[in-house]
Amino acid sequence: MTMVCRLKIPTNEQYIAPVCDFTTSWCLNHGLSKGESIRFTVALSELITDIILFAYPENSRENFEIEYHYSFPNLEIVVSELGEPFDPDKHIYDAKKAREENNFEGAGLLLMKEFSDEFSFINKGKEGKEFRLSKTIEIHDIDELLQQFATLREPEIDREEQEIPHKDIDEFTVSRIKSADAEDISKIFYRTYDYSYFKEDMYLPKKIEEAVLSKEKLGVIARIEDGGAIGYFGVIQKEDSDIAELGEAIVTPSYRRNGVMTSMMNHLIEILKEQGVTAIFAKAVTNHLASQKVNHKFGYKTTAILLALSENIKYKGFDEDYPQPISAALEFLPLMYSRQKSVYLPENYKDIILETYEELGLDVESIELTSKHLAEKSDIDLNVNYTSLTSLIVVNKYGRDFKAILSNMVSSLEEKNPCVIYLDLPLENESTPEQFLEAVSSEFIYSGLMPQFHRQSDYLRLQKVYSSLDPDIIEIYSDFGNKIKSLVVDEYRRHI
Amino acid sequence: MNIVDTYKEGQILSVTVHSHFNLRTKKKIESCLTPGISKLTINLINCNFIDSEGVIFLHEWLKSGNELLLKKPPPIFFEILEILELDDLWDLDNIIIN
């Protein structure tokens, strides 16, 4: 999720209305209907009213924070506060008590749940409490819109054209995308996948235009001599580090085998270097090998296996009967090489992590020293993906409360029946070898190395998998990737 | 702009809510409820937003045996009544005026 903004709000009731006005506008601007925007705003109004009344009774001089996150088609509001302890299970609304005794305890909590698609409460111990409200933008009418888009604006598309096996081209140009290219990018996806591509926003030129204008999306487009668009290669810059994720790489089928992809990749790498991007990574699906083969051709190395990363998505032309959530291979391509780093590696995974660094050509020094000195409070971030039912816990700093916070977070997330919880531990933090044992005792298993993943620092990714998986049908292309897979699968089998 | 405008006449307090009916609005109305007032007329024509603080306040007012008239409450008002399972306790035909 991309954080759009963060508000610091005094615990004073006069701020409820302005926050609600902002929230309604924010929802409307991101495509939520008017009715749903008001419902979602009421959910937030209930939450901040409860915080003002019950978390900080008699105190209007404290503050709490509201973060607004957006990732199409999901909107998420995260409210954090350090007020009095709270247990939502002890505040269940009872309509009988309300009707007969005027006891409305839990009414606000009930409305928060009713007016959001997801409501989560996370007790972070001394770090306070976190409430997450999320809403999904209804896309049931998108198929209809897309059909209109196809028939009204793209009459020249002939389905038979896709049957033409190959078109040789002498010349094509590659240039950095501009917002005006948005419609052409959508057309490339349509011509290649019909409407089977899993990211709906690639069929919505307005969404692409916004992403390009906001610099969230960076990419190149390939065109033939008459200006027709034949290829697109896009990346999304990571919010908390100078690396970029491979978003989409596509060449219209009839123009493949003309060097278009290679040319786009080379052009894009030059642009990324100019922008100070130090590496590209991709999460390649493992229900087929096509994406991994292409990535490895360009020099990507597999560094981690992310089990059950996304729901089963049907791609045109690929295995449509894949029976489990799709796992991914994390593939990494350094664009710039920095000076040697010192890393603190847990003994269990020292060899495989050092081998991964070697594969990548990154120079590290493994330090044996570990520290037991911890800060008073941990600093931990949490990202929840409500669509794929996955969560990512990122440890920025260990505190003496690390074990309790990790345990509380995992328990809270487990109430939502997750597919998997990922946990990122900082390898450049000397407490990691010691604190790693807390994660292992919570049944996290190996996933792999996530180089430069947060704040330009390297992280060890662990995972706790709740989905039932058949590891034999997880396909990994490279030899080294298969080495990581066998470690992951061994540990997965020991934990089921 | 005030969050509410109020006007007292005998036992009737007339209120116009501007924009939101929430905790703050509720407290403002409560502060105007002097002894002897037994009927509340609330104009919600400009109110697009009410939360449980507003709805519960109105429910308690009614349960205390007082009179209530609401002009054009927003659709969310009816949804909240239904979710809290209070809707059947309200004589909406006689409370809502257009």
Side-chain angles (χ1 to χ4, degrees), chain B residues 44-63:
Chain B
L44 296 167
I45 199 162
N46 293 319
C47 172
N48 52 21
F49 190 91
I50 184 167
D51 64 13
S52 67
E53 289 294 324
V55 173
I56 292 168
F57 164 73
L58 296 175
H59 183 77
E60 288 177 337
W61 173 258
L62 274 176
K63 285 259 302 194

Side-chain angles (χ1 to χ4, degrees), chain B residues 55-92:
Chain B
V55 173
I56 292 168
F57 164 73
L58 296 175
H59 183 77
E60 288 177 337
W61 173 258
L62 274 176
K63 285 259 302 194
S64 306
N66 297 301
E67 275 188 79
L68 177 68
L69 287 179
L70 295 178
K71 187 169 186 183
K72 291 211 176 225
I76 194 82
F77 164 79
F78 299 99
E79 287 186 49
I80 294 175
L81 269 187
E82 201 178 323
I83 292 167
L84 299 183
E85 298 178 45
L86 301 172
D87 49 333
D88 60 318
L89 298 179
W90 284 53
D91 180 9
L92 289 170

Side-chain angles (χ1 to χ4, degrees), chain A residues 151-193:
Chain A
T151 51
L152 298 178
R153 306 182 72 178
E154 189 65 308
E156 75 273 21
I157 289 179
D158 177 3
R159 305 277 175 186
E160 295 305 315
E161 191 179 285
Q162 292 181 13
E163 303 300 323
I164 298 170
H166 181 65
K167 285 182 181 175
D168 274 321
I169 42 175
D170 296 328
E171 280 187 30
F172 62 91
T173 58
V174 176
S175 56
R176 183 171 172 175
I177 51 166
K178 301 185 289 292
S179 56
D181 294 319
E183 190 177 309
D184 283 342
I185 293 169
S186 281
K187 287 177 184 175
I188 299 170
F189 279 88
Y190 174 74
R191 287 170 183 160
T192 308
Y193 293 110

Side-chain angles (χ1 to χ4, degrees), chain A residues 435-451:
Chain A
Q435 297 303 314
F436 155 82
L437 299 170
E438 303 295 354
V440 171
S441 69
S442 298
E443 298 188 323
F444 279 87
I445 63 170
Y446 190 69
S447 170
L449 175 66
M450 310 297 277

Side-chain angles (χ1 to χ4, degrees), chain A residues 37-321:
Chain A
S37 297
I38 288 174
R39 286 185 193 97
F40 200 35
T41 305
V42 171
L44 180 66
S45 178
E46 299 294 343
L47 176 53
I48 60 181
T49 300
D50 279 359
I51 288 172
I52 290 167
L53 288 175
F54 306 119
Y56 299 95
E58 312 301 327
N59 189 345
S60 60
R61 292 187 174 182
E62 294 291 338
N63 293 290
F64 60 98
E65 285 192 353
I66 307 178
E67 284 182 11
Y68 293 81
H69 299 255
Y70 167 68
S71 175
F72 182 81
N74 295 311
L75 300 174
E76 184 189 43
I77 300 176
V78 181
V79 182
S80 314
E81 47 97 343
L82 285 159
E84 292 191 357
F86 166 73
D87 180 357
D89 296 338
K90 299 280 184 287
H91 302 273
I92 307 295
Y93 180 71
D94 182 337
K96 191 163 180 272
K97 281 187 179 173
R99 293 162 71 100
E100 292 173 4
E101 302 165 28
N102 273 5
N103 180 347
F104 289 93
E105 186 176 10
L109 201 55
L110 175 64
L111 294 180
M112 287 173 223
K113 291 173 181 167
E114 287 287 328
F115 290 143
S116 320
D117 292 339
E118 289 286 343
F119 170 84
S120 314
F121 167 73
I122 293 155
N123 190 338
K124 298 169 84 176
K126 288 178 183 172
E127 265 201 291
K129 305 187 285 297
E130 193 173 273
F131 300 85
R132 288 172 176 254
L133 307 170
S134 88
K135 194 90 182 161
T136 302
I137 298 165
E138 285 293 329
I139 51 172
H140 63 272
D141 56 348
I142 275 186
D143 281 348
E144 197 180 317
L145 287 172
L146 293 174
Q147 203 58 49
Q148 272 179 9
F149 173 73
T151 51
L152 298 178
R153 306 182 72 178
E154 189 65 308
E156 75 273 21
I157 289 179
D158 177 3
R159 305 277 175 186
E160 295 305 315
E161 191 179 285
Q162 292 181 13
E163 303 300 323
I164 298 170
H166 181 65
K167 285 182 181 175
D168 274 321
I169 42 175
D170 296 328
E171 280 187 30
F172 62 91
T173 58
V174 176
S175 56
R176 183 171 172 175
I177 51 166
K178 301 185 289 292
S179 56
D181 294 319
E183 190 177 309
D184 283 342
I185 293 169
S186 281
K187 287 177 184 175
I188 299 170
F189 279 88
Y190 174 74
R191 287 170 183 160
T192 308
Y193 293 110
D194 285 350
Y195 293 122
S196 71
Y197 193 67
F198 74 107
K199 294 182 181 173
E200 287 96 343
D201 45 346
M202 295 317 297
Y203 296 108
L204 302 173
K206 280 280 173 219
K207 290 282 169 198
I208 298 172
E209 201 175 314
E210 282 169 18
V212 174
L213 285 171
S214 66
K215 298 197 165 46
E216 181 196 327
K217 204 179 270 294
L218 192 65
V220 291
I221 188 165
R223 294 181 183 278
I224 49 176
E225 274 180 299
D226 69 359
I230 56 166
Y232 166 71
F233 204 138
V235 296
I236 298 158
Q237 279 196 262
K238 204 165 180 301
E239 232 183 33
D240 63 347
S241 201
D242 289 338
I243 59 176
E245 179 174 5
L246 174 60
E248 306 86 19
I250 180 170
V251 175
T252 309
S254 49
Y255 291 99
R256 288 175 186 165
R257 300 192 301 279
N258 280 295
V260 179
M261 188 65 83
T262 306
S263 181
M264 287 197 298
M265 179 70 169
N266 292 336
H267 202 93
L268 185 60
I269 285 173
E270 290 312 309
I271 293 173
L272 292 173
K273 283 180 176 172
E274 280 169 25
Q275 301 284 314
V277 174
T278 57
I280 313 179
F281 70 96
K283 291 172 189 158
V285 291
T286 57
N287 54 332
H288 60 80
L289 293 175
S291 314
Q292 295 176 56
K293 278 182 183 170
V294 171
N295 290 341
H296 281 263
K297 188 181 151 199
F298 287 112
Y300 285 76
K301 305 291 180 188
T302 304
T303 68
I305 306 295
L306 312 174
L307 294 176
L309 178 70
S310 72
E311 60 190 296
N312 190 359
I313 302 149
K314 291 176 179 174
Y315 294 87
K316 182 189 171 193
F318 288 108
D319 185 359
E320 295 187 353
D321 298 317

